[in-house]
Amino acid sequence: MVRKNKLKFNPNYAVHPGETLLETIDAMGISQMQLAERTGKTTKAINEIIKGKAAITPQTALQLERVLNIQASFWNSLQKRYDEKIAELIEATELAKQVEWLKKLPIKSMIKNNWLQKKNDDVSQLKEVLNFFGMASVYSWEDLWGKALVDPQFAFRKSESLDIDPFSVSAWLRKGEIASQKVQCSPFKATLFKQKLKEIKSFTLESPDIFISKLKDLCSEAGVAVVFVNELPNCHINGAARWLTSEKAMIQLSLRYKTDDHLWFTFFHEAAHILLHGKKELYIDYMDNKGTGLSGLLTQQEKQANDFASEHLLPFSIYNNFIKSRNFSKDNIEKFAKENGISPGIVVGRLQFDGLIPYKTHLNGLKRKYSWDEFDWVCSEDTIEKQ
């Protein structure tokens, strides 16, 4: 037996319930004047309904039920469907004027990542994208995201070496927002979060299948949702921090460089923003491929966040004593890392960041390298999105 596909009929026109009313009274042999007399309305009022110039109100529907013996719900439903279709057609006309905006977004990458469904026409694709952003129109998107991405307190820190696409960044941030909404968190408590950070430091020694769920659980207990979202083309983002509500914060990580030193430094950097800085600001952190900080706005806050991350991962006093020896051999770094309960890759990253050893040629083998597959199979859908 051949199974036929059911096609949903979606006409590009709307049928006013007045047409159905005319067909009904004609079939019953009732004139418009007679219907007006029986319902207590004027002939003009009935004629305007039949010509589609006036709506069938709930009161009129009740009157038609008594006169024609057709339930009021039938007439109300016809009117509702008509009103909805008219709104749909008007919206489609307006959206058709906005489809050029789609060219600014990384639609192909978003579809590839299963963030969006591919649609057959531009207007449907635009609706899909607006649904993703939770926006009614492109104008609404521009009012929220467009202004946020150029406002000084949200502005990107620019880099001479990075071509940052704000549209890709907005999509990445939105995906993190969606994922974080699924993470159940207790009300935020700063003292508790500080305590959790001390415990989290030991996670640097563990593999993703161990630390991811533990990291998420510990942070959610303190009111912070941690989510991993792989970056889109030209995002160049290490991480972001912001407050979703007055009692729920979010740390979003991209795993951009896929090494333990970058991941953990970024996590503690974002944690610093949550603990030290304002709740109304969005903190987006970039790092060029040399690991040097990018210049721009909020430099004092970024310095504070860098210092916070460095101190929590490897206290300055201990680190400074270590570098005095100038012995940065593989064995010595591994011994130092073990003594301080931290991954040797983080020690290497710190030495590279401070310019004490080269980035490309020295001791990168001590860094733990991550793959998205490692994260994907141990993370639930609300925790990580795979590229």
Side-chain angles (χ1 to χ4, degrees):
M1 182 177 72
V2 177
R3 184 175 180 179
K4 295 182 180 180
N5 293 326
K6 293 183 178 180
L7 299 178
K8 184 177 180 181
F9 179 58
N10 187 23
N12 59 352
Y13 57 87
V15 178
H16 193 277
E19 293 188 28
T20 303
L21 178 60
L22 178 60
E23 292 174 357
T24 301
I25 62 175
D26 282 349
M28 292 181 173
I30 300 174
S31 68
Q32 293 184 38
M33 183 179 295
Q34 290 173 323
L35 182 61
E37 291 173 347
R38 296 184 185 189
T39 57
K41 293 184 172 299
T42 64
T43 302
K44 180 181 177 181
I46 294 297
N47 185 254
E48 287 185 341
I49 291 174
I50 287 174
K51 289 185 175 182
K53 296 180 179 180
I56 295 179
T57 66
Q59 181 182 18
T60 301
L62 288 171
Q63 293 167 343
L64 292 175
E65 178 180 353
R66 287 191 290 271
V67 174
L68 303 176
N69 197 29
I70 299 175
Q71 291 185 345
S73 60
F74 171 78
W75 302 108
N76 288 330
S77 179
L78 287 180
Q79 185 66 51
K80 180 175 180 292
R81 288 201 298 270
Y82 173 79
D83 292 341
E84 289 175 346
K85 189 62 182 182
I86 289 295
E88 178 187 322
L89 294 173
I90 292 173
E91 181 191 53
T93 300
E94 290 300 312
L95 291 179
K97 301 174 184 177
Q98 304 170 33
V99 294
E100 284 295 307
W101 176 76
L102 288 174
K103 296 179 180 179
K104 299 179 180 180
L105 288 156
I107 301 298
K108 290 183 179 179
S109 294
M110 295 171 74
I111 292 172
K112 179 182 177 182
N113 289 350
N114 295 318
W115 298 5
L116 300 174
Q117 291 184 1
K118 181 175 177 59
K119 299 298 182 179
N120 295 326
D121 62 89
D122 288 342
V123 171
S124 296
Q125 194 67 67
L126 179 57
K127 290 180 181 179
E128 177 78 359
V129 174
L130 291 174
N131 287 339
F132 170 82
F133 279 105
M135 295 290 160
S137 68
V138 171
Y139 309 120
S140 300
W141 185 96
E142 290 174 344
D143 284 342
L144 179 63
W145 289 98
K147 290 180 180 178
L149 298 179
V150 299
D151 190 293
Q153 73 170 335
F154 296 108
F156 300 128
R157 292 180 293 130
K158 299 298 182 183
S159 167
E160 295 180 358
S161 62
L162 299 180
D163 180 19
I164 298 169
D165 179 4
F167 292 90
S168 285
V169 172
S170 68
W172 183 82
L173 290 170
R174 173 57 179 164
K175 188 59 183 178
E177 184 177 79
I178 294 170
S180 66
Q181 289 171 350
K182 301 175 184 178
V183 180
Q184 298 297 317
C185 290
S186 300
F188 178 78
K189 292 183 180 179
T191 54
L192 182 58
F193 188 44
K194 291 177 183 178
Q195 293 173 9
K196 301 295 186 183
L197 292 180
K198 294 179 181 178
E199 184 176 348
I200 288 170
K201 176 183 174 180
S202 66
F203 294 177
T204 66
L205 297 168
E206 298 176 346
S207 58
D209 60 321
I210 300 296
F211 75 69
I212 292 176
S213 59
K214 292 167 65 175
L215 175 66
K216 174 184 173 183
D217 291 343
L218 284 184
C219 290
S220 64
E221 290 171 9
V224 180
V226 176
V227 296
F228 292 84
V229 181
N230 201 10
E231 65 172 344
L232 293 168
N234 297 320
C235 268
H236 305 295
I237 292 180
N238 286 340
R242 57 176 159 159
W243 288 84
L244 301 172
T245 70
S246 61
E247 294 188 327
K248 183 179 180 180
M250 180 190 76
I251 291 176
Q252 183 173 346
L253 303 169
S254 71
L255 197 65
R256 182 183 176 199
Y257 291 107
K258 298 180 176 63
T259 57
D260 56 358
D261 60 322
H262 282 287
L263 173 65
W264 290 111
F265 185 87
T266 300
F267 169 78
F268 280 94
H269 180 101
E270 305 310 333
H273 284 311
I274 299 299
L275 287 168
L276 302 179
H277 304 136
K279 290 188 175 183
K280 293 183 179 181
E281 295 179 350
L282 165 64
Y283 304 95
I284 307 174
D285 294 299
Y286 305 90
M287 197 77 72
D288 67 19
N289 57 13
K290 295 181 181 179
T292 54
L294 307 184
S295 62
L297 300 175
L298 306 177
T299 53
Q300 183 60 33
Q301 290 180 333
E302 294 305 316
K303 183 180 183 305
Q304 290 174 342
N306 284 342
D307 290 345
F308 180 96
S310 297
E311 178 68 19
H312 277 71
L313 285 168
L314 193 56
F316 288 105
S317 58
I318 297 173
Y319 174 72
N320 289 336
N321 285 333
F322 171 69
I323 63 176
K324 286 179 182 178
S325 69
R326 310 300 294 184
N327 181 359
F328 305 140
S329 68
K330 179 177 180 292
D331 290 343
N332 202 37
I333 288 175
E334 288 181 321
K335 178 183 176 183
F336 175 70
K338 184 176 181 180
E339 290 172 349
N340 290 279
I342 198 168
S343 164
I346 291 175
V347 180
V348 172
R350 180 82 163 265
L351 292 171
Q352 290 175 337
F353 185 86
D354 291 339
L356 296 173
I357 60 175
Y359 267 95
K360 294 184 178 180
T361 59
H362 282 63
L363 302 170
N364 286 315
L366 290 178
K367 295 182 180 182
R368 169 65 187 266
K369 294 184 178 180
Y370 303 126
S371 70
W372 280 104
D373 286 340
E374 282 184 287
F375 281 68
D376 187 40
W377 77 273
V378 293
C379 292
S380 60
E381 186 176 321
D382 64 314
T383 307
I384 187 169
E385 295 298 328
K386 180 183 175 183
Q387 177 139 338

